[in-house]
Amino acid sequence: MQIAKNTVVAFHYTLTDDQGQVLDSSQGREPLVYLQGVGQIVPGLEKAMEGRQVGDQFKVDVAPEEGYGVHHAELIQEVPREAFQGVEDIQPGMQFQGRGPQGVINVTVTKVDSEKVHIDGNHPLAGQTLHFDVEVTDVRAASEEELAHGHVHGEGGHHH
């Protein structure tokens, strides 16, 4: 069976950056399972999966526009330390949820000084080309319930 919209796909992957450093991998874990065609993985990888089948092994480079987006300078801000009431020890690398004009936004602390906290609302991989090494391990038709809920159920997926 070929990967197409509304199929459930399981695959192993290794994700590297431009320098070949491993950013994420399913090696040593269960394969990643998702529902094709509903945006559960980055768009560039989802497009590259279309038409593949069990046993296919391939590499794909995903540009930022088809991955985690381009880097937006306006999402880097300085906020007063008082905005983090109740947090005693703010350190670079910590992540918080905040409110932006479009709703909830995840931010990462990049620098802390005596009065201000520097935050970045970009995804940590924004602006980077993603290099995937993929092996498709399973493809099946999605059940009616999975289609209605918009995600995979059972083994490797969501359990209700």
Side-chain angles (χ1 to χ4, degrees):
M1 171 179 259
Q2 289 190 326
I3 297 173
K5 184 169 175 58
N6 298 331
T7 56
V8 173
V9 181
F11 70 100
H12 277 293
Y13 68 93
T14 298
L15 169 61
T16 56
D17 62 14
D18 285 336
Q19 291 72 44
Q21 183 176 343
V22 175
L23 302 174
D24 193 14
S25 178
S26 66
Q27 298 309 314
R29 302 188 320 232
E30 292 295 313
L32 181 65
V33 180
Y34 76 100
L35 180 60
Q36 175 76 6
V38 298
Q40 294 179 338
I41 60 175
V42 295
L45 181 57
E46 190 169 56
K47 287 177 186 172
M49 297 293 273
E50 194 77 21
R52 307 282 183 164
Q53 53 196 4
V54 173
D56 282 359
Q57 295 182 20
F58 62 97
K59 295 178 188 281
V60 62
D61 298 329
V62 177
E65 296 80 4
E66 292 285 314
Y68 290 102
V70 295
H71 195 268
H72 295 283
E74 65 272 14
L75 293 178
I76 299 172
Q77 298 181 354
E78 295 177 9
V79 295
R81 255 187 115 101
E82 300 85 61
F84 293 86
Q85 290 179 5
V87 182
E88 296 286 321
D89 186 28
I90 304 168
Q91 296 291 325
M94 293 176 88
Q95 296 185 323
F96 295 92
Q97 277 193 339
R99 286 225 166 269
Q102 278 78 40
V104 175
I105 183 170
N106 293 314
V107 299
T108 302
V109 175
T110 57
K111 181 178 160 190
V112 180
D113 57 42
S114 60
E115 296 181 16
K116 297 214 182 288
V117 176
H118 303 252
I119 59 171
D120 187 346
N122 288 287
H123 186 281
L125 297 177
Q128 292 190 40
T129 298
L130 309 173
H131 306 279
F132 287 95
D133 189 348
V134 175
E135 178 185 1
V136 179
T137 59
D138 192 41
V139 181
R140 67 171 173 80
S143 70
E144 289 300 320
E145 185 179 33
E146 288 169 326
L147 293 174
H149 290 191
H151 58 250
V152 179
H153 290 179
E155 187 116 353
H158 183 78
H159 300 274
H160 285 279

